[in-house]
Amino acid sequence: MSQRPISDQWVAIPADDDLRRTFAETDLDESAWEPIDVPGHWRSNPAFADHDGPVLHRTRFSQEAGPPDRRWWVRFDGLFYQGDIWLDGAYLGDTEGYFLPHTFEVTDQVRDRSEHVLAVEAACAPQTDRANKRNITGVFQHWDAIDPAWNPGGIWRPVHLEHTGPVRIARLTTRCVEADDERAVLAFVAELDAAEGVDAHVRTTVGSIDHGLDHTLATGANTVEWSVTVDRPRLWWPHALGDASLENVVVEVRLRDAAGSSVSDSRRFRTGLRHIEMKKWTMSVNGERLFLKGTNMGPTRMALAEATAAECRQDIDLAKDAGLDLVRIHGHVARPETYDAADEAGMLVWQDFPLQWGYARSIKKEAIRQSSGMVSMLGHHPSIAVWCAHNEPMRLDLDADAFADPRKTAQMGVKALASMQLPTWNKSVLDRAVKRSIDRTDGTRPTIAHSGVMPHLPRLQGTDSHLYFGWYFGNERDFPAFARAVPSQVRFPTEFGAQSIPDSDDFVDPSAWPDLDWERLTTTHNLQQSILDKFVPRDGHTYESWKRATQEYQATVIRHHVETLRRLKYRPTGGFAQFSFADSHPAITWSVLDHRRMPKLAYDALAAACRPVIVVADRLPATVDPGDALALDVHVVSDRRVDLSGRIDARLDWSGGGHRWSFEGHVPADECVRVGTVQFEVPYAPGDLTLTLSGRVGDHDVTNDDATTITSNSTS
């Protein structure tokens, strides 16, 4: 396959009924149309900044037909969300699905003339009934971490003109079905589009391995399956376990003619050889168990077309620098550069299909088609370890003031709980259909039907958990007791956290403190004001002290949730993914990095809690009284793959006194062990009481600290 980008000289105009009838004509006068960027989103153009579409696009380009056996194609790599396509006044067809490529044969048009007009009507209808959405756009059209007024419509990825020989590789799915030290097996499924019946040779190279197979193709679509075995393979490993070795793969369709053998079409990509398993929410890669420390990643930018390859790679690198093993691509399909960066970095990926909250019954067939296409498009990436069909399949229509009115909040909570417990079309029909579609197309990775569904009758089976202690419910200190009471709900939490004010805060207008534009911050920038006020009251603060207090609170929530989950390593917790990693636009959200990738205090807290070896003690109560008897267990958690020995010193300090303990012991590989207990009676010394842990385990220096307040109550 050879390709060239179609002209970047695109123009656009809002659609109306009259223009729809004529805009594809080749001799149309387009001099009054606005220039527009392709790739791009129409909202990024000032002329369409408030437009919800449809928007008509046109461009002109030149192309000669070339040899008589050459076939020509127009390929759209991504169009938000639906499109109707014309070339030289002839209708080619329609598209649906923002992340899928769409290809149309244009051989006849290219043979007929050398000057061409490509015309596109792009539509991305606002989802006015957000409990019954019809666009499969995930977080881009319904999320509490993106501007709800945003419309992502547009031709957001490149448009290409391609040519092939008589046979085109229309679709190619690649999966690693087996991998160990002795051998690895890559399975391929291709749809080959033949202009006429022909004998073809499919040649595959994987690294230095060559594989060939002859096929007789009929006119039209042909499904061909084969596998390639690699002996003594270089395995791909997550970065915590080894090297992320990648292999170059080339698939060619060759045809024989009088001159010999010629390549009709080809595909080139990289993949990794590895085997994934998940049992009881504990993942193994190539037979090695791995506790997953993860995060949720939203879109790199709200205007996804404007995200660069460097920005995609930076997010993966920042996650790796924080000690994370897993990124959940939350409620969307990301740019291809994100997956390439994850492959190279040895970062595992939990990939959501872009279903977020409630959808109409009419989308089922389209969801099945698009989910299969997602797996075909991304399945060769070794980093992808988990598929998820639907995030929170509750029919929620969250708006800016959903959490401002306690009655609305309570009603929403009851509705969400009922939809988890009772059969619903989204959870019981749609999600199962999408899961079956993914499993049919892949089958080598675990697939989760839906995320964030609590245990429900009759078998009390749930999924991964969304546990917002210290935000939507309860107190952040309630989490350890909850984990002890309901261990099934901490097998794999994939959302927890709290909002905070970012340092990149010019959009907040700090000079207006305390009279900030709270309505704008809530409506456009995602602030959940009433909840933040509950945990971090504004009274008595300057703006800067309030901002820091919000960041300190967020860091506290994340630190102690992660430390609790790591102490439950494999008993029963297999990992976690905090919410969330980085903002897609100027916002006040749960992210630990803002939209300019400036770290909040929570980023450092997350990184500290995710170090390979940590020491942590039971948490001190919020306050203590003189005479209270406390016993705090001290644990060491190690993700290292070797046994370690070490010494931990514990120091308890209060006004006018203190006490010391030392513990020595053995820490098995990839385990959590109790190394000792700090036992003491609280003295009568009103003021601060601090517990400091420090020591060395193997070659790791470890520290941790906690503090509380001794009341002035006397027990004497």
Side-chain angles (χ1 to χ4, degrees):
M1 174 184 66
S2 178
Q3 66 180 27
R4 51 160 280 201
I6 287 182
S7 166
D8 60 359
Q9 301 299 312
W10 287 79
V11 292
I13 198 169
D16 62 37
D17 289 341
D18 290 336
L19 272 174
R20 278 196 178 101
R21 299 187 183 96
T22 61
F23 90 103
E25 296 175 0
T26 57
D27 57 355
L28 181 77
D29 180 8
E30 60 203 27
S31 59
W33 291 33
E34 291 284 339
I36 194 167
D37 289 337
V38 172
H41 303 273
W42 68 60
R43 283 282 189 101
S44 297
N45 187 312
F48 308 102
D50 298 317
H51 208 279
D52 280 322
V55 173
L56 307 178
H57 297 65
R58 280 171 62 99
T59 190
R60 298 177 181 271
F61 65 95
S62 301
Q63 183 61 57
E64 301 289 343
D69 67 342
R70 182 173 292 177
R71 299 174 73 187
W72 290 92
W73 314 82
V74 168
R75 173 186 168 106
F76 291 79
D77 283 347
L79 195 158
F80 258 114
Y81 165 71
Q82 293 165 315
D84 287 285
I85 318 298
W86 286 260
L87 183 66
D88 302 335
Y91 184 65
L92 301 182
D94 65 333
T95 75
E96 182 169 359
Y98 85 88
F99 59 87
L100 293 175
H102 296 88
T103 305
F104 303 92
E105 184 166 10
V106 294
T107 303
D108 291 343
Q109 289 89 335
V110 174
R111 287 175 180 168
D112 286 345
R113 56 193 296 169
S114 59
E115 299 297 322
H116 306 282
V117 175
L118 181 62
V120 180
E121 179 178 343
C124 190
Q127 301 300 279
T128 54
D129 182 359
R130 296 191 300 175
N132 294 280
K133 299 184 292 293
R134 287 174 168 78
N135 288 356
I136 303 175
T137 51
V139 299
F140 288 102
Q141 288 192 288
H142 195 189
W143 197 29
D144 46 11
I146 272 182
D147 182 353
W150 171 248
N151 188 312
I155 306 172
W156 75 279
R157 293 206 62 219
V159 183
H160 303 284
L161 185 66
E162 304 174 348
H163 67 81
T164 69
V167 178
R168 178 177 182 272
I169 302 173
R171 181 165 169 165
L172 179 64
T173 303
T174 306
R175 300 160 297 130
C176 185
V177 297
E178 181 182 337
D180 57 30
D181 290 336
E182 296 300 319
R183 72 171 198 163
V185 179
L186 283 177
F188 298 84
V189 180
E191 180 184 313
L192 306 181
D193 183 322
E196 58 185 14
V198 66
D199 290 331
H201 179 78
V202 179
R203 180 175 179 269
T204 307
T205 61
V206 180
S208 60
I209 305 297
D210 284 312
H211 177 275
L213 200 61
D214 294 324
H215 294 275
T216 298
L217 305 180
T219 302
N222 299 261
T223 299
V224 178
E225 300 185 31
W226 72 99
S227 62
V228 176
T229 299
V230 180
D231 293 325
R232 307 295 298 176
R234 297 187 312 154
L235 296 178
W236 183 95
W237 292 94
H239 69 87
L241 299 180
D243 295 330
S245 300
L246 296 170
E247 301 290 350
N248 292 313
V249 179
V250 180
V251 177
E252 296 178 335
V253 178
R254 293 176 172 267
L255 306 179
R256 295 194 179 278
D257 53 29
S261 177
S262 61
V263 176
S264 181
D265 198 7
S266 65
R267 296 287 184 272
R268 298 172 182 269
F269 55 91
R270 292 189 301 172
T271 194
L273 307 175
R274 53 85 186 116
H275 180 67
I276 296 283
E277 284 187 325
M278 182 179 275
K279 295 181 178 179
K280 296 183 178 179
W281 295 91
T282 296
M283 180 165 288
S284 297
V285 183
N286 303 326
E288 288 283 336
R289 182 177 64 172
L290 178 63
F291 183 88
L292 296 177
K293 298 171 289 189
T295 187
N296 285 258
M297 278 190 174
T300 310
R301 291 197 185 196
M302 187 171 72
L304 192 58
E306 298 167 15
T308 67
E311 289 171 341
C312 296
R313 185 173 302 278
Q314 179 189 33
D315 282 352
I316 296 297
D317 289 343
L318 287 167
K320 185 174 179 179
D321 290 345
L324 302 180
D325 309 298
L326 175 79
V327 295
R328 178 181 179 181
I329 306 299
H330 185 97
H332 75 292
V333 175
R335 293 186 62 96
E337 297 91 342
T338 295
Y339 305 102
D340 292 339
D343 289 345
E344 295 167 12
M347 180 67 68
L348 293 168
V349 173
W350 168 314
Q351 178 59 54
D352 282 359
F353 183 61
L355 294 178
Q356 168 91 350
W357 297 325
Y359 288 84
R361 292 172 179 260
S362 60
I363 75 156
K364 179 183 172 185
K365 183 176 180 180
E366 185 62 26
I368 291 170
R369 184 188 72 85
Q370 289 190 35
S371 59
S372 177
M374 176 188 74
V375 175
S376 290
M377 183 177 75
L378 299 177
H380 65 281
H381 288 286
S383 56
I384 295 181
V386 180
W387 304 110
C388 181
H390 196 159
N391 183 56
E392 294 185 349
M394 294 79 80
R395 294 178 59 190
L396 303 178
D397 188 0
L398 299 178
D399 54 26
D401 64 349
F403 301 100
D405 183 340
R407 291 174 299 176
K408 289 186 66 175
T409 303
Q411 291 170 359
M412 183 182 62
V414 170
K415 186 175 181 180
L417 183 60
S419 67
M420 293 184 196
Q421 298 298 312
L422 302 174
T424 66
W425 183 83
N426 273 263
K427 183 173 91 270
S428 307
V429 178
L430 175 63
D431 296 358
R432 290 177 181 176
V434 173
K435 181 182 186 302
R436 286 194 298 268
S437 170
I438 293 172
D439 286 339
R440 282 195 302 267
T441 310
D442 185 355
T444 68
R445 300 169 171 94
T447 304
I448 297 165
H450 32 242
S451 173
V453 175
M454 294 176 62
H456 50 280
L457 299 173
R459 291 182 295 171
L460 294 179
Q461 290 183 340
T463 62
D464 59 300
S465 308
H466 298 176
L467 301 174
Y468 285 98
F469 286 94
W471 193 253
Y472 290 127
F473 46 82
N475 184 285
E476 55 92 10
R477 286 179 170 271
D478 297 335
F479 182 53
F482 173 82
R484 289 192 297 271
V486 195
S488 65
Q489 281 297 281
V490 293
R491 296 175 304 174
F492 207 104
T494 56
E495 290 191 28
F496 56 86
Q499 289 191 343
S500 70
I501 310 302
D503 287 331
S504 300
D505 58 356
D506 47 332
F507 69 94
V508 177
D509 188 14
S511 64
W513 178 263
D515 300 319
L516 304 181
D517 188 345
W518 300 106
E519 182 177 356
R520 175 179 59 83
L521 295 176
T522 297
T523 301
T524 302
H525 301 288
N526 313 117
L527 171 65
Q528 293 180 354
Q529 182 186 355
S530 62
I531 301 178
L532 188 58
D533 283 347
K534 175 182 176 181
F535 293 104
V536 189
R538 288 170 277 161
D539 294 344
H541 279 292
T542 66
Y543 173 78
E544 288 298 329
S545 69
W546 174 67
K547 178 174 74 173
R548 183 170 183 84
T550 68
Q551 291 198 21
E552 288 174 344
Y553 178 70
Q554 180 192 35
T556 295
V557 172
I558 289 176
R559 170 195 166 185
H560 290 293
H561 273 62
V562 171
E563 289 180 349
T564 296
L565 293 167
R566 290 195 69 185
R567 286 203 295 173
L568 297 173
K569 183 173 186 174
Y570 307 136
R571 303 180 183 91
T573 305
F576 63 85
Q578 61 83 213
F579 188 85
S580 60
F581 195 62
D583 284 326
S584 304
H585 78 126
I588 299 170
T589 73
W590 303 262
S591 71
V592 298
L593 299 169
D594 66 29
H595 67 289
R596 292 176 181 155
R597 299 316 186 252
M598 294 290 293
K600 302 177 183 178
L601 297 179
Y603 177 81
D604 292 333
L606 177 65
C610 290
R611 288 173 298 186
V613 179
I614 64 170
V615 58
V616 59
D618 290 340
R619 198 169 175 189
L620 288 165
T623 61
V624 293
D625 294 329
D628 286 350
L630 298 180
L632 308 176
D633 287 338
V634 179
H635 289 80
V636 171
V637 187
S638 173
D639 294 334
R640 293 286 305 275
R641 319 311 290 186
V642 295
D643 294 348
L644 302 173
S645 295
R647 172 190 172 100
I648 301 298
D649 295 318
R651 188 178 79 242
L652 192 69
D653 293 300
W654 58 85
S655 177
H659 197 74
R660 306 291 184 269
W661 296 262
S662 291
F663 311 106
E664 294 185 9
H666 175 71
V667 183
D670 192 31
E671 281 288 355
C672 171
V673 296
R674 184 175 67 85
V675 296
T677 301
V678 172
Q679 293 182 295
F680 63 98
E681 181 177 295
V682 177
Y684 183 75
D688 293 337
L689 177 70
T690 61
L691 175 65
T692 303
L693 304 175
S694 61
R696 188 168 180 84
V697 180
D699 56 356
H700 296 267
D701 292 321
V702 294
T703 62
N704 209 329
D705 58 71
D706 194 10
T708 188
T709 300
I710 303 174
T711 71
S712 59
N713 297 329
S714 174
T715 60
S716 58

